[in-house]
CSV table of all heavy atoms in Angstrom, one decimal:
chain,number,residue,atom,x,y,z
A,9,ASP,N,18.2,-22.0,-27.6
A,9,ASP,CA,17.2,-21.0,-27.2
A,9,ASP,C,18.0,-19.7,-26.8
A,9,ASP,O,18.8,-19.8,-25.9
A,9,ASP,CB,16.4,-21.4,-26.0
A,9,ASP,CG,15.6,-22.7,-26.3
A,9,ASP,OD1,15.6,-23.2,-27.5
A,9,ASP,OD2,15.0,-23.2,-25.4
A,11,ASP,N,17.5,-17.2,-25.0
A,11,ASP,CA,16.9,-16.4,-23.9
A,11,ASP,C,17.9,-15.4,-23.4
A,11,ASP,O,19.0,-15.8,-23.0
A,11,ASP,CB,16.5,-17.4,-22.8
A,11,ASP,CG,15.6,-18.5,-23.2
A,11,ASP,OD1,15.3,-18.7,-24.4
A,11,ASP,OD2,15.1,-19.2,-22.3
A,83,HIS,N,10.5,-18.5,-30.7
A,83,HIS,CA,10.4,-18.7,-29.3
A,83,HIS,C,9.5,-17.7,-28.6
A,83,HIS,O,9.8,-17.3,-27.5
A,83,HIS,CB,11.9,-18.7,-28.7
A,83,HIS,CG,12.1,-19.3,-27.4
A,83,HIS,ND1,11.3,-20.4,-27.0
A,83,HIS,CD2,12.9,-19.1,-26.4
A,83,HIS,CE1,11.7,-20.8,-25.7
A,83,HIS,NE2,12.7,-20.0,-25.4
A,87,HIS,N,8.5,-14.2,-24.6
A,87,HIS,CA,9.0,-15.3,-23.7
A,87,HIS,C,8.3,-15.2,-22.3
A,87,HIS,O,8.9,-15.2,-21.3
A,87,HIS,CB,10.5,-15.1,-23.5
A,87,HIS,CG,11.2,-16.4,-23.0
A,87,HIS,ND1,11.5,-16.7,-21.7
A,87,HIS,CD2,11.6,-17.5,-23.7
A,87,HIS,CE1,12.1,-17.8,-21.7
A,87,HIS,NE2,12.2,-18.4,-22.8
B,401,LIG,ZN1,13.5,-19.9,-23.4
Side-chain angles (χ1 to χ4, degrees):
D9 299 356
D11 301 11
H83 199 30
H87 205 260

